[in-house]
Amino acid sequence: MDPLADTLRRLREAFSAGRTRSPEFRAAQLKGLGRFLQENKQLLQEALAQDLHKATQLDSAFIRKEPFGLVLIIAPWNYPVNLTLVPLVGALAAGNCVVLKPSEFSRSTEKVLAEVLPRYLDQSCFAVVLGGPQETGQLLEHKFDYIFFTGSPRVGRIVMTAAAKHLTPVTLELGGKNPCYVDDDCDPQTVANRVAWFRYFNCGQTCVAPDYVLCSPHTRERLLPALQSAITRFYGEDPRRSPSLGRVVSDKHFRRLRGLLGCGRVAIGGQSDEDERYIAPTVLVDVQETEPVMQEEIFGPILPIVNVGSLDEAIDFINRREKPLALYAFSRSSQVVKRVLAQTSSGGFCGNDGFMHMTLASLPFGGVGASGMGSYHGKFSFDTFSHHRACLLRRPGLEKIYSIRYPPYSPRNLRMLLVAMEARSCSCTLL
């Protein structure tokens, strides 16, 4: 038996049970840590003396935000302007030089970014690199001071592996399967309007779109006609003719999505046209967790509905899977929404609406776990592209006061240091 495995399992079980989440628990742990330091000062000092022959030293700091240096931004195709320029704003504002790699799939936007954008920026500090996977791979062989990537988890792993060779920090804006829990206590038409809007927006090619709905069989039967009504109002009787419904980006993605239409049973939509790369707004029911549509991020206009018997079952379903980029909960009961929030983990969360949380510059946008690391938007973009440098500035005088730090050490000097730090509300660091 591996004792380390038992220890890790015990800690994970405690975290999954929510033991560490309450403010009261956290405060109690910090108070315990404070008691440990207070009650064991002598013991720690003796241990440090035996190990390192060191004593206590005053510690204080402030933060200076500085540019990393040369930054690489690798942008996606689904929002080729927004998801290129928003991180670029942060990188430039923080004072970095930037290499921009737009997606080769959005060719027209790529051309504008490569040919027109450099006219407006200092080209000694900014460059655009074009190409596909091969060129991106060659780019990643070089050393950068920071890499910002938006795309799939598969490519994110490649980027992180390349960055690790140079110990380059990264922000990875990835994706995943974003759950949408719909409670029995809801207005089905309101839910359907909001879910249909943010599921089929940009033809479903949005990283924060809901990837599946979790609800009871009773709510599913109320939700289906409401979804059909919303789709018809948004896109007309024949969505193919609607100017408001986009198309799948490429033949490859179209074929992948068309294959997913065979999962479960089509309740709404299901029509497709390969010549136009058109897939109708689709709802699937009777979907099994093991089917392909539940194993990969859909990234298209297909919405599976999975039946659950209770809120507990929905939360357990969510927590068995990788942490998503976004999570949604719909209910008239604020307690239900707050419970989903409290007992799950995701990059972002929105109660009773779609991806509006990501439109607020006052909130950071980013993933957690398999859905990414790091965040940006607004001030958080500046912080992401800045090195937070810890600094200490001290006057050259007052040597008599500071001389109590120097050996030989005495109990009196140590007491004076501790009193001074406690009076200034400084944290005590044992060295």
Side-chain angles (χ1 to χ4, degrees):
M1 183 177 293
D2 183 356
L4 180 57
D6 290 341
T7 299
L8 295 178
R9 183 175 63 253
R10 172 173 58 82
L11 295 177
R12 287 193 181 278
E13 287 174 353
F15 181 79
S16 297
R19 183 167 175 77
T20 63
R21 289 180 178 266
S22 74
E24 293 79 12
F25 176 87
R26 302 180 201 190
Q29 298 307 291
L30 293 174
K31 287 178 181 177
L33 180 58
R35 290 196 305 273
F36 163 76
L37 292 172
Q38 185 67 33
E39 295 171 9
N40 296 278
K41 284 182 181 179
Q42 185 64 32
L43 186 63
L44 288 168
Q45 289 163 6
E46 291 172 359
L48 284 167
Q50 292 171 11
D51 290 338
L52 301 168
H53 300 284
K54 287 191 175 183
T56 308
Q57 182 175 322
L58 189 62
D59 193 47
S60 104
F62 69 91
I63 297 171
R64 175 184 169 92
K65 296 180 181 179
E66 299 180 343
F68 278 105
L70 180 58
V71 167
L72 172 62
I73 297 175
I74 304 176
W77 52 261
N78 57 328
Y79 292 91
V81 174
N82 181 276
L83 296 183
T84 299
L85 298 187
V86 171
L88 178 60
V89 167
L92 295 176
N96 297 282
C97 292
V98 179
V99 173
L100 187 64
K101 170 59 184 69
S103 172
E104 70 276 14
F105 285 107
S106 46
R107 295 192 180 280
S108 298
T109 306
E110 179 190 45
K111 182 178 180 181
V112 173
L113 293 172
E115 297 180 1
V116 182
L117 178 58
R119 302 175 196 168
Y120 294 82
L121 299 174
D122 186 333
Q123 295 186 43
S124 68
C125 300
F126 174 78
V128 178
V129 175
L130 304 181
Q134 181 178 351
E135 289 77 10
T136 303
Q138 294 171 351
L139 194 58
L140 288 169
E141 292 176 2
H142 294 272
K143 183 183 186 325
F144 291 91
D145 299 303
Y146 201 93
I147 298 176
F148 187 102
F149 170 78
T150 304
S152 70
R154 180 186 66 82
V155 181
R157 291 184 177 92
I158 296 172
V159 171
M160 193 168 182
T161 299
K165 294 178 182 178
H166 302 288
L167 295 180
T168 298
V170 297
T171 289
L172 301 179
E173 297 293 344
L174 308 179
K177 298 193 69 64
N178 305 314
C180 178
Y181 174 69
V182 181
D183 189 36
D184 287 345
D185 184 10
C186 72
D187 173 30
Q189 193 59 64
T190 297
V191 174
N193 292 343
R194 297 178 185 184
V195 170
W197 173 65
F198 66 91
R199 167 71 271 190
Y200 304 120
F201 187 84
N202 198 34
C203 199
Q205 298 167 128
T206 303
C207 58
V208 290
D211 220 64
Y212 60 94
V213 167
L214 294 171
C215 66
S216 69
H218 171 68
T219 294
R220 186 190 79 174
E221 296 311 308
R222 298 163 62 215
L223 199 56
L224 282 172
L227 282 168
Q228 179 65 78
S229 173
I231 291 169
T232 301
R233 287 200 328 276
F234 295 169
Y235 306 112
E237 294 292 340
D238 183 4
R240 184 188 319 219
R241 298 181 179 179
S242 172
S244 300
L245 185 68
R247 294 296 185 266
V248 179
V249 68
S250 69
D251 294 336
K252 176 184 176 182
H253 285 282
F254 173 85
R255 289 190 292 270
R256 179 184 63 83
L257 289 168
R258 188 172 59 183
L260 298 180
L261 295 174
C263 300
R265 174 173 61 86
V266 174
I268 299 172
Q271 301 84 4
S272 65
D273 184 330
E274 187 167 5
D275 291 338
E276 292 188 24
R277 299 197 304 273
Y278 164 79
I279 294 179
T282 298
V283 178
L284 302 177
V285 296
D286 302 331
V287 173
Q288 302 301 312
E289 186 176 357
T290 55
E291 293 187 271
V293 77
M294 293 302 296
Q295 298 301 310
E296 62 185 64
E297 183 179 9
I298 296 171
F299 225 64
I302 301 170
L303 180 66
I305 297 180
V306 178
N307 289 339
V308 290
S310 65
L311 175 58
D312 285 336
E313 185 179 338
I315 290 173
D316 181 64
F317 186 97
I318 293 167
N319 288 337
R320 288 200 311 267
R321 308 171 76 88
E322 295 284 8
K323 295 180 180 181
L325 183 58
L327 197 157
Y328 307 97
F330 287 84
S331 176
R332 287 192 180 101
S333 168
S334 62
Q335 295 305 311
V336 169
V337 174
K338 290 178 181 178
R339 188 174 163 202
V340 176
L341 173 61
Q343 297 184 8
T344 60
S345 177
S346 61
F349 180 89
C350 195
N352 290 312
D353 205 355
F355 41 56
M356 298 310 295
H357 63 284
M358 67 170 291
T359 67
L360 301 177
S362 58
L363 293 178
F365 173 69
V368 60
S371 60
M373 61 183 67
S375 61
Y376 71 124
H377 283 191
K379 176 183 177 294
F380 304 99
S381 297
F382 179 87
D383 289 341
T384 286
F385 288 104
S386 299
H387 166 57
H388 294 209
R389 187 180 184 185
C391 305
L392 173 65
L393 295 181
R394 179 157 285 167
R395 288 183 239 171
L398 303 177
E399 182 63 9
K400 287 186 177 180
I401 294 176
Y402 292 131
S403 65
I404 64 173
R405 302 172 299 177
Y406 307 148
Y409 300 111
S410 68
R412 177 178 176 275
N413 286 1
L414 181 57
R415 284 195 302 271
M416 290 177 64
L417 280 171
L418 293 174
V419 168
M421 286 187 290
E422 289 171 0
R424 292 175 57 194
S425 299
C426 292
S427 60
C428 177
T429 301
L430 295 172
L431 300 177

